[in-house]
Short mmCIF file of all heavy atoms in Angstrom, two decimals:
data_model
loop_
_atom_site.label_atom_id
_atom_site.label_comp_id
_atom_site.label_asym_id
_atom_site.label_seq_id
_atom_site.Cartn_x
_atom_site.Cartn_y
_atom_site.Cartn_z
N SER A 134 23.44 169.50 25.31
CA SER A 134 23.24 168.50 24.31
C SER A 134 23.60 167.11 24.79
O SER A 134 24.10 167.00 25.91
CB SER A 134 24.04 168.91 23.03
OG SER A 134 23.62 168.08 21.96
N LYS A 135 23.44 166.11 23.90
CA LYS A 135 23.76 164.75 24.17
C LYS A 135 25.19 164.58 24.66
O LYS A 135 25.55 163.83 25.55
CB LYS A 135 23.46 163.83 23.00
CG LYS A 135 23.88 162.39 23.18
CD LYS A 135 23.58 161.57 21.97
CE LYS A 135 24.08 160.11 22.06
NZ LYS A 135 23.50 159.39 23.18
N ASP A 136 26.06 165.30 24.02
CA ASP A 136 27.56 165.18 24.34
C ASP A 136 27.89 166.10 25.57
O ASP A 136 29.10 166.22 25.89
CB ASP A 136 28.41 165.50 23.13
CG ASP A 136 28.22 166.91 22.57
OD1 ASP A 136 27.45 167.66 23.19
OD2 ASP A 136 28.78 167.30 21.53
N GLY A 137 27.03 166.77 26.12
CA GLY A 137 27.36 167.63 27.32
C GLY A 137 27.58 169.06 26.92
O GLY A 137 27.78 169.90 27.86
N SER A 138 27.68 169.36 25.61
CA SER A 138 27.99 170.72 25.24
C SER A 138 26.86 171.70 25.54
O SER A 138 25.70 171.23 25.57
CB SER A 138 28.35 170.82 23.69
OG SER A 138 27.27 170.33 22.95
N LEU A 139 27.16 172.94 25.69
CA LEU A 139 26.07 173.88 26.11
C LEU A 139 25.30 174.31 24.84
O LEU A 139 25.90 174.64 23.83
CB LEU A 139 26.72 175.12 26.81
CG LEU A 139 27.47 174.86 28.07
CD1 LEU A 139 28.13 176.09 28.67
CD2 LEU A 139 26.63 174.19 29.19
N LEU A 140 24.02 174.42 25.01
CA LEU A 140 23.20 174.85 23.93
C LEU A 140 22.98 176.40 23.99
O LEU A 140 22.90 177.01 25.01
CB LEU A 140 21.81 174.20 23.98
CG LEU A 140 21.80 172.63 23.89
CD1 LEU A 140 20.44 172.14 24.12
CD2 LEU A 140 22.32 172.29 22.46
N TYR A 141 22.94 177.00 22.82
CA TYR A 141 22.68 178.39 22.75
C TYR A 141 21.19 178.74 23.19
O TYR A 141 20.29 177.97 22.81
CB TYR A 141 22.96 179.00 21.38
CG TYR A 141 24.45 179.14 21.06
CD1 TYR A 141 25.08 178.13 20.41
CD2 TYR A 141 25.19 180.20 21.52
CE1 TYR A 141 26.42 178.21 20.07
CE2 TYR A 141 26.57 180.36 21.32
CZ TYR A 141 27.21 179.38 20.55
OH TYR A 141 28.55 179.46 20.29
N PRO A 142 20.96 179.90 23.78
CA PRO A 142 19.61 180.19 24.26
C PRO A 142 18.67 180.51 23.24
O PRO A 142 17.51 180.91 23.53
CB PRO A 142 19.87 181.28 25.33
CG PRO A 142 21.18 181.96 24.90
CD PRO A 142 22.02 180.86 24.34
N GLY A 143 19.11 180.50 21.95
CA GLY A 143 18.04 180.52 20.86
C GLY A 143 17.04 179.44 21.05
O GLY A 143 15.93 179.52 20.68
N PHE A 144 17.54 178.23 21.52
CA PHE A 144 16.69 177.17 22.00
C PHE A 144 16.18 177.58 23.36
O PHE A 144 17.04 177.82 24.33
CB PHE A 144 17.49 175.94 22.04
CG PHE A 144 16.77 174.71 22.71
CD1 PHE A 144 15.59 174.22 22.05
CD2 PHE A 144 17.16 174.16 23.91
CE1 PHE A 144 14.94 173.15 22.59
CE2 PHE A 144 16.48 173.09 24.42
CZ PHE A 144 15.40 172.55 23.76
N PRO A 145 14.87 177.71 23.59
CA PRO A 145 14.39 178.32 24.74
C PRO A 145 14.40 177.40 26.09
O PRO A 145 13.42 177.23 26.71
CB PRO A 145 12.96 178.73 24.43
CG PRO A 145 12.51 177.71 23.49
CD PRO A 145 13.78 177.43 22.64
N PHE A 146 15.59 176.88 26.36
CA PHE A 146 15.66 176.00 27.56
C PHE A 146 15.42 176.71 28.80
O PHE A 146 15.06 176.12 29.82
CB PHE A 146 17.05 175.29 27.56
CG PHE A 146 18.26 176.16 27.66
CD1 PHE A 146 18.67 176.64 28.90
CD2 PHE A 146 18.94 176.53 26.54
CE1 PHE A 146 19.79 177.46 29.06
CE2 PHE A 146 20.03 177.38 26.67
CZ PHE A 146 20.46 177.85 27.86
N THR A 147 15.61 178.07 28.83
CA THR A 147 15.30 178.84 30.03
C THR A 147 13.76 178.68 30.43
O THR A 147 13.44 178.87 31.54
CB THR A 147 15.68 180.34 29.88
OG1 THR A 147 15.01 180.84 28.73
CG2 THR A 147 17.18 180.46 29.72
N SER A 148 12.96 178.51 29.37
CA SER A 148 11.53 178.19 29.62
C SER A 148 11.28 176.72 29.73
O SER A 148 10.48 176.25 30.60
CB SER A 148 10.69 178.82 28.45
OG SER A 148 10.81 180.18 28.43
N TYR A 149 11.87 175.94 28.80
CA TYR A 149 11.61 174.43 28.78
C TYR A 149 12.06 173.78 30.04
O TYR A 149 11.66 172.68 30.30
CB TYR A 149 12.28 173.87 27.55
CG TYR A 149 11.63 174.23 26.23
CD1 TYR A 149 12.18 173.87 25.03
CD2 TYR A 149 10.35 174.88 26.19
CE1 TYR A 149 11.67 174.28 23.80
CE2 TYR A 149 9.69 175.20 24.97
CZ TYR A 149 10.41 174.88 23.79
OH TYR A 149 9.83 175.14 22.59
N THR A 150 13.02 174.39 30.83
CA THR A 150 13.44 173.75 32.07
C THR A 150 12.23 173.50 33.02
O THR A 150 12.29 172.61 33.83
CB THR A 150 14.45 174.60 32.74
OG1 THR A 150 15.06 173.88 33.93
CG2 THR A 150 13.88 175.90 33.25
N LYS A 151 11.12 174.30 32.82
CA LYS A 151 9.97 174.12 33.61
C LYS A 151 9.04 172.94 33.19
O LYS A 151 8.15 172.55 33.93
CB LYS A 151 9.13 175.40 33.63
CG LYS A 151 9.90 176.61 34.18
CD LYS A 151 9.06 177.88 34.28
CE LYS A 151 9.85 179.00 34.88
NZ LYS A 151 9.03 180.26 35.02
N VAL A 152 9.29 172.32 32.11
CA VAL A 152 8.54 171.20 31.62
C VAL A 152 8.80 169.96 32.44
O VAL A 152 9.92 169.60 32.72
CB VAL A 152 8.86 170.94 30.17
CG1 VAL A 152 8.13 169.72 29.60
CG2 VAL A 152 8.46 172.17 29.30
N THR A 153 7.77 169.24 32.76
CA THR A 153 7.94 168.07 33.66
C THR A 153 8.63 166.93 32.86
O THR A 153 8.66 166.91 31.63
CB THR A 153 6.55 167.57 34.11
OG1 THR A 153 5.82 167.12 33.05
CG2 THR A 153 5.80 168.63 34.81
N ARG A 154 9.20 165.99 33.63
CA ARG A 154 9.87 164.86 33.02
C ARG A 154 8.81 164.01 32.18
O ARG A 154 9.22 163.58 31.09
CB ARG A 154 10.51 163.94 34.06
CG ARG A 154 11.20 162.70 33.51
CD ARG A 154 12.39 162.99 32.50
NE ARG A 154 12.73 161.87 31.75
CZ ARG A 154 13.94 161.24 32.01
NH1 ARG A 154 14.75 161.57 32.95
NH2 ARG A 154 14.24 160.14 31.22
N ALA A 155 7.63 163.84 32.72
CA ALA A 155 6.67 163.12 31.99
C ALA A 155 6.25 163.71 30.62
O ALA A 155 6.18 163.06 29.63
CB ALA A 155 5.42 162.94 32.85
N ASP A 156 6.15 165.01 30.61
CA ASP A 156 5.83 165.73 29.37
C ASP A 156 7.06 165.67 28.42
O ASP A 156 6.88 165.59 27.17
CB ASP A 156 5.43 167.17 29.63
CG ASP A 156 3.99 167.24 30.10
OD1 ASP A 156 3.34 166.18 30.15
OD2 ASP A 156 3.65 168.39 30.51
N SER A 157 8.27 165.83 28.95
CA SER A 157 9.44 165.74 28.05
C SER A 157 9.53 164.35 27.43
O SER A 157 9.85 164.24 26.27
CB SER A 157 10.65 166.02 28.99
OG SER A 157 11.90 165.77 28.26
N ASP A 158 9.25 163.34 28.22
CA ASP A 158 9.29 161.94 27.62
C ASP A 158 8.24 161.75 26.57
O ASP A 158 8.47 161.08 25.53
CB ASP A 158 9.08 160.92 28.75
CG ASP A 158 10.23 160.73 29.64
OD1 ASP A 158 11.33 161.35 29.41
OD2 ASP A 158 10.14 160.07 30.65
N ALA A 159 7.09 162.33 26.73
CA ALA A 159 6.02 162.30 25.68
C ALA A 159 6.43 162.98 24.42
O ALA A 159 6.26 162.48 23.38
CB ALA A 159 4.79 162.86 26.24
N ILE A 160 7.05 164.16 24.53
CA ILE A 160 7.51 164.93 23.35
C ILE A 160 8.59 164.05 22.65
O ILE A 160 8.61 163.98 21.42
CB ILE A 160 8.04 166.26 23.74
CG1 ILE A 160 6.92 167.14 24.29
CG2 ILE A 160 8.66 166.99 22.48
CD1 ILE A 160 7.39 168.47 24.88
N TYR A 161 9.46 163.46 23.41
CA TYR A 161 10.55 162.64 22.84
C TYR A 161 9.97 161.46 22.10
O TYR A 161 10.40 161.09 20.99
CB TYR A 161 11.39 162.14 23.99
CG TYR A 161 12.39 161.03 23.67
CD1 TYR A 161 13.59 161.30 23.01
CD2 TYR A 161 12.08 159.68 23.90
CE1 TYR A 161 14.50 160.24 22.70
CE2 TYR A 161 13.00 158.65 23.59
CZ TYR A 161 14.18 158.97 22.98
OH TYR A 161 15.05 157.95 22.62
N ALA A 162 8.92 160.82 22.66
CA ALA A 162 8.25 159.65 22.05
C ALA A 162 7.67 160.11 20.73
O ALA A 162 7.73 159.42 19.66
CB ALA A 162 7.20 159.06 22.95
N TYR A 163 7.02 161.28 20.69
CA TYR A 163 6.45 161.77 19.44
C TYR A 163 7.51 162.07 18.38
O TYR A 163 7.40 161.62 17.23
CB TYR A 163 5.63 163.03 19.69
CG TYR A 163 5.31 163.72 18.45
CD1 TYR A 163 4.42 163.20 17.53
CD2 TYR A 163 5.78 165.01 18.12
CE1 TYR A 163 4.10 163.85 16.28
CE2 TYR A 163 5.54 165.72 16.97
CZ TYR A 163 4.58 165.12 16.01
OH TYR A 163 4.33 165.68 14.90
N LEU A 164 8.60 162.78 18.71
CA LEU A 164 9.61 163.04 17.73
C LEU A 164 10.29 161.77 17.29
O LEU A 164 10.78 161.72 16.10
CB LEU A 164 10.65 163.98 18.41
CG LEU A 164 10.24 165.40 18.74
CD1 LEU A 164 11.30 166.18 19.45
CD2 LEU A 164 9.81 166.16 17.48
N ARG A 165 10.35 160.70 18.05
CA ARG A 165 10.89 159.42 17.61
C ARG A 165 9.93 158.80 16.59
O ARG A 165 10.45 157.83 15.87
CB ARG A 165 11.11 158.57 18.82
CG ARG A 165 12.17 159.01 19.78
CD ARG A 165 13.54 158.64 19.35
NE ARG A 165 13.73 157.21 19.29
CZ ARG A 165 14.83 156.60 18.99
NH1 ARG A 165 15.94 157.37 18.64
NH2 ARG A 165 15.02 155.26 18.95
N SER A 166 8.71 159.26 16.53
CA SER A 166 7.71 158.59 15.63
C SER A 166 7.61 159.28 14.25
O SER A 166 7.00 158.75 13.38
CB SER A 166 6.30 158.65 16.27
OG SER A 166 5.76 159.93 16.26
N VAL A 167 8.25 160.44 14.06
CA VAL A 167 8.19 161.24 12.84
C VAL A 167 9.21 160.59 11.86
O VAL A 167 10.04 159.90 12.23
CB VAL A 167 8.36 162.72 13.00
CG1 VAL A 167 7.42 163.27 14.06
CG2 VAL A 167 9.85 163.02 13.37
N ALA A 168 8.97 160.94 10.61
CA ALA A 168 9.84 160.40 9.57
C ALA A 168 11.26 160.91 9.73
O ALA A 168 11.47 162.15 9.82
CB ALA A 168 9.30 160.75 8.20
N PRO A 169 12.28 160.03 9.80
CA PRO A 169 13.67 160.57 9.90
C PRO A 169 14.12 161.28 8.63
O PRO A 169 13.69 160.82 7.51
CB PRO A 169 14.47 159.23 10.10
CG PRO A 169 13.63 158.13 9.50
CD PRO A 169 12.19 158.59 9.70
N VAL A 170 14.92 162.22 8.73
CA VAL A 170 15.43 162.95 7.58
C VAL A 170 16.96 162.98 7.61
O VAL A 170 17.52 163.48 8.64
CB VAL A 170 14.89 164.50 7.47
CG1 VAL A 170 15.43 165.18 6.26
CG2 VAL A 170 13.38 164.43 7.47
N ASN A 171 17.63 162.43 6.66
CA ASN A 171 19.09 162.30 6.63
C ASN A 171 19.72 163.64 6.15
O ASN A 171 20.32 163.62 5.06
CB ASN A 171 19.52 161.06 5.86
CG ASN A 171 20.95 160.74 6.04
OD1 ASN A 171 21.76 160.76 5.04
ND2 ASN A 171 21.37 160.44 7.20
N VAL A 172 19.60 164.70 6.80
CA VAL A 172 20.13 166.01 6.46
C VAL A 172 20.89 166.55 7.65
O VAL A 172 20.38 166.60 8.78
CB VAL A 172 19.04 166.96 6.08
CG1 VAL A 172 19.64 168.36 5.83
CG2 VAL A 172 18.31 166.50 4.88
N ALA A 173 22.17 166.95 7.41
CA ALA A 173 22.98 167.41 8.44
C ALA A 173 22.48 168.80 8.86
O ALA A 173 21.97 169.61 8.11
CB ALA A 173 24.44 167.54 7.96
N SER A 174 22.66 169.04 10.16
CA SER A 174 22.36 170.37 10.72
C SER A 174 23.36 171.35 10.31
O SER A 174 24.59 171.09 10.30
CB SER A 174 22.30 170.32 12.21
OG SER A 174 21.27 169.50 12.74
N ARG A 175 22.96 172.56 9.90
CA ARG A 175 23.92 173.57 9.41
C ARG A 175 24.63 174.24 10.61
O ARG A 175 23.91 174.62 11.58
CB ARG A 175 23.13 174.63 8.64
CG ARG A 175 24.02 175.63 7.97
CD ARG A 175 23.18 176.56 6.99
NE ARG A 175 24.01 177.61 6.44
CZ ARG A 175 23.52 178.44 5.56
NH1 ARG A 175 22.25 178.36 5.12
NH2 ARG A 175 24.35 179.42 5.19
N PRO A 176 25.92 174.41 10.52
CA PRO A 176 26.61 175.01 11.64
C PRO A 176 26.21 176.54 11.79
O PRO A 176 25.89 177.17 10.85
CB PRO A 176 28.10 174.91 11.27
CG PRO A 176 28.07 173.92 10.14
CD PRO A 176 26.81 173.95 9.49
N HIS A 177 26.26 176.99 13.08
CA HIS A 177 25.95 178.35 13.33
C HIS A 177 27.00 179.20 12.75
O HIS A 177 28.20 178.83 12.52
CB HIS A 177 25.90 178.66 14.82
CG HIS A 177 24.90 177.89 15.59
ND1 HIS A 177 23.63 177.65 15.07
CD2 HIS A 177 24.90 177.32 16.81
CE1 HIS A 177 22.90 176.99 15.92
NE2 HIS A 177 23.65 176.74 16.95
N GLU A 178 26.67 180.46 12.32
CA GLU A 178 27.53 181.48 11.81
C GLU A 178 27.61 182.64 12.75
O GLU A 178 27.03 183.73 12.48
CB GLU A 178 27.13 181.83 10.36
CG GLU A 178 27.17 180.72 9.38
CD GLU A 178 26.60 181.11 7.98
OE1 GLU A 178 26.12 182.22 7.84
OE2 GLU A 178 26.61 180.19 7.16
N LEU A 179 28.27 182.45 13.89
CA LEU A 179 28.32 183.47 14.94
C LEU A 179 29.65 184.17 14.96
O LEU A 179 30.67 183.64 14.58
CB LEU A 179 28.08 182.87 16.30
CG LEU A 179 26.78 182.19 16.48
CD1 LEU A 179 26.70 181.46 17.90
CD2 LEU A 179 25.60 183.23 16.39
#
């Protein structure tokens, strides 16, 4: 994550690691263009 913490593999980073930097930047640009939603992420219950 942004703070360096490890993400759980429910997020498929084991596959997404194969995505190129250029494609990652494009996805980032798109997500920055969607409407922001001021809702906190719910903590995991593990």
Side-chain angles (χ1 to χ4, degrees):
S134 190
K135 176 180 173 62
D136 62 3
S138 60
L139 300 178
L140 298 173
Y141 285 98
F144 174 65
F146 61 84
T147 55
S148 297
Y149 288 168
T150 189
K151 297 184 178 184
V152 175
T153 66
R154 175 63 192 254
D156 282 354
S157 173
D158 287 350
I160 297 170
Y161 169 81
Y163 167 65
L164 292 176
R165 295 277 297 181
S166 75
V167 305
V170 181
N171 190 241
V172 174
S174 298
R175 185 171 174 180
H177 300 320
E178 297 174 359
L179 297 174

